[in-house]
Structure formats: C-alpha cells, structure tokens
Amino acid sequence: TDVVTQENLAAMEFRNYIPKDEKILRSSALYKLSAEDEWQERKVIVSHEKLFFTYINSQVLVDQIPLHEIVKVTKLEPGTRLKINMKKAYTAQQQEHGFEIHTSVEGYNSGRLYLIKTATEPTAEEWVSFLKVEVKRAIKTFTKITLIQEYQSFARRIINHGAFQFVVTILIFANFLANVIQVQIHREDYLFWVLDVFFTTAFSLELAINLFAHWLRPFFYDAWNTFDLIVVTVSIVSLATQDSVPGLNSLRTLRAFRVLRLIGRLKSLREVINALSAAMIPVLNAFLLVALVTSIYAILGVDFFQKRENGGDLFGTFTISLFTMFQLTTFDGWASGLAEPIFSEKALVTEEEHAQAGTSPECDGEYRVLPDTFVILFFISFIVIVVWTLLPVVVAVLLDNFIESTTQSKKRARLIREKANAPMPDPMDPLLQALTNWETNHDLSHRILALYSSLDPDNTNAIDFQQFLEGLKKLNFQPAIHLTEEDCERITDRNRLCNADKTISPGQ
C-alpha cells in the first residue's frame, strides 16, 4: 500500500551511503567473513579517513572502519584458525589467502576483528602493505603526530626488535665474562679499561634510546628501566671519576651488578623474580614470627646465662644473644661452641670423689661437670620451635606463594593464547551474557522489556536499526557492541522478525 511504501522510504533514510566527497584511494571486490562463518563477497573501499564495506554494485554501507582506529593489519596465514568455529569457511586444506584487521576496543568498531579473503597471496600482501601505509598516515593526521613523536615511534621499534634485544643480552654476558676474567687474574691493564669504556658506552647508548623512546612516565613506570638507569649511571660516574675523586673508586665494584639487567630481558628469569616478589609479603610475615620468637629466646638467654661462666661471651647483651640464637639455627657448632660452655656449672673434685671414681689423688684441683636441666630445655625447645617448626613454615609459605604466582602467570598466558585463538566473538555476546542471568521466564521477560525501554526512550514502541545501534552504544557494555546492517539482518532472520517498515516492537 501507499502507507507501507512511504514507511519503507522513511526507513531508507537511516541507511548510510558513502559520502560523495570521499576521495577513493583503492577499491576491490573481496570476501569478508561474517558472524555465521561464511565468506560474503563485499566491495572494500579505502578513502583517506575510512575503510568502507558495501554490497557489490551498490553504494549502501554495510560497515566502516576509521583508519586511525585500526590497531594492526596482518596477513592471514593458512591453518592458523583451524581450531575455532570457522572450519567450514576457512581450513588448512583450503589454503585461503587474506588478511586480518584488528580495531581499537575504545573505537567505533569496539575492537571487532575483520577477516578478509583475497583471490591470491600476492593480492593479500599488496593490501596489507597498502593498509599499513594508509593507517600510519591516518594516525599521524588524526593525532597530529609531531616529528619528535615519529622519531620516538621509530626508537620504540628498535628497542622492541628481537635482534636488538639479543645484541644487548650478548653485551651483558660479555661484560660479565670480562669482569670474571679481570678479578681472576688480578690485572688492571689498558685492555680491561678499554673494555670497561666500550661496555659503559654501549649500555649508555641503549639506555638513551630507551629513555627517548619511552619519555618520560612510561620509562619510569617499568621498574627494570629504573634499575638499568641506576646501574648505568653508577658505571658512568665511577668511570668518569676514576683515580680523581677519593672514595668513588669503590663504585667500580658495582659493575658486577650489570649482569642483573638480564633479568629484565629474559622472560624465564623475569617470571622467577615476579613470583618471588609476589611471595615476599607472606614470607616476611612468617619471618616476623620467627624473629619475634628468636628475640624472646635472646632476652631469656641474657637474663639466665649472662652471669654464668662463659655466659657473657654468648649472652652478654641482647644483640650478642640474638646472634647466638641465629648461630644456633644454623647448627654451626651449637653443641660444643654454644651449649657446652654454659651447659653446666663446674665444681672442684674432692679426694672422696677421687676415691669413689678410682682416679688418682694427684688430680686434685680438677673440675667436674654438674648438668643443668634448664639449659637442656632452653636449647632443645628453641631447636624444636624455631628450627624444626617455624623455619620450615617460612619455606612452605614461600613455596606455596611462589607456586600460586607462577600458576597465575601461566593462567594469564594461557588466557591470552586462548583469546588469540578464540572464535570470532559475536557482536551481541555482551548483551546475551547480560540476559543469561535470569531465574524464571517472568524474570527473563522483565529483563527484555527493560532493555527495550532503554533502547526506546521516547516510548514509540517501534525502533529501527539506527535507534537500536545508538541505544546499544549508550548502554556501555564491555566490550562495546558494534553492529552492522548485516548483523541486524542476521539477528532478525533477514528482517522476517521485523515489522513491514523494518522496525522492532516490544513483542518482537
């Protein structure tokens, strides 16, 4: 009817077209992977600011991507997505060629991943190279990147390059080996001075590039960068003040700490240090308990053994007594060196005792040992409580937290890998997850009506695609929902679930 025709024409006003003033840089008919895992032929058009998807032989927009919001463009390697829900569209046997477009999570496309298929591999490589150049130009234009920022980006690429990191690692190993050889042969000749200057210069240059690339807060945000800055600065000061400023020559001994810079570059060492750091607080709490109990025994030792013979040497003051108890935890000569000198009191051996023992009277003046039960209980209780019980608890706490930290680290790495190999998420997943927490059918219906009310603030009881899209954007789902007209057609079963004017009512 005429009314339906007018409503359809009104609905068509919401359809977007490519702006007529857009200067087209490149266009081609390619295949885009849909949410239904089907390759759909679409026309891909690139302008100075955006990448458009349209139907073949049509100017109606299916989707668009702002070029400055493209995070990464990579070549689609055959077989890399064999384990996800695209098997019927993309398998290793098909040997498809194409490329991936990763968008910004905070941008217009809400982090959506686009998979594009080309006819040949050279075509895919041409598109990847072309898009990388245009994306870089668009980012520079949109964000108004200065010349210094361009140089900083170039410096970051150098710093993060695998070959550069490998060279720095080799230099650190070589510097450590030179230090070992120098202290082994006890030589301070010209050769080692030249090596010291070379390594200090190389590390200073690497630090300067890193500092320039991540100026300023990003540099100090990384603790390993701060450690590198301290080590290199100390090396420069010790080298510059050599034999000129008294007392600063001792700084040269800190050169040995340069090898610790490897921790920030080797992933395995970094994981160990991070795990130990995570376990530090629980271990310190356990150590505090050990220190308190040991201090209590140190105070008791001063009170009970200070006035005994040889007691002043072991328990004369609190600090001496505390060191004695620490020595006891190591079992370093604790019986002969610690317990025995105060283990007993000495008394003169009388003639009667000689007669009973059958010893010679000429031994008059010798001393006999009188055992002290309190001393026995003191040392044995300390060994049982501290050495056998509390110290193993410290080790157990360390191992437990270390294992937990490494497990969490592996779990995060696994989640990252699973996310990289996960199926292409459906744009409606955040909304569907919010609706799945229903308890009864009435609760689900109430949630759906509440959702529709938020999408229809004017209470017109009829929303079109544009209103539906804008309403979802305002709901602030994480990640944000980005729908194309193709998605809307899929959701509505090719518009079969819509009204004649392609709107949606509450009942639908």
Side-chain angles (χ1 to χ4, degrees), residues 401-463:
N401 286 271
F402 183 87
I403 294 174
E404 182 180 358
S405 179
T406 53
T407 302
Q408 292 296 329
S409 178
K410 292 179 180 179
K411 183 178 179 180
R412 287 192 295 268
R414 185 176 68 254
L415 291 176
I416 293 175
R417 290 193 301 268
E418 291 177 353
K419 184 177 181 180
N421 296 322
M424 284 186 64
D426 190 282
M428 294 293 290
D429 281 349
L431 175 60
L432 295 178
Q433 290 177 0
L435 292 175
T436 53
N437 298 324
W438 56 277
E439 297 179 356
T440 62
N441 292 335
H442 177 74
D443 182 32
L444 177 60
S445 300
H446 178 74
R447 288 171 180 262
I448 295 175
L449 290 177
L451 172 64
Y452 189 91
S453 299
S454 62
L455 299 176
D456 184 24
D458 297 330
N459 294 324
T460 60
N461 292 328
I463 57 175

Side-chain angles (χ1 to χ4, degrees), residues 367-405:
Y367 288 89
R368 62 185 177 88
V369 176
L370 298 178
D372 191 336
T373 304
F374 177 76
V375 177
I376 298 175
L377 294 176
F378 179 84
F379 283 101
I380 291 179
S381 63
F382 180 81
I383 292 174
V384 171
I385 295 175
V386 176
V387 182
W388 290 356
T389 305
L390 294 182
L391 288 181
V393 167
V394 174
V395 177
V397 170
L398 174 62
L399 291 177
D400 181 64
N401 286 271
F402 183 87
I403 294 174
E404 182 180 358
S405 179

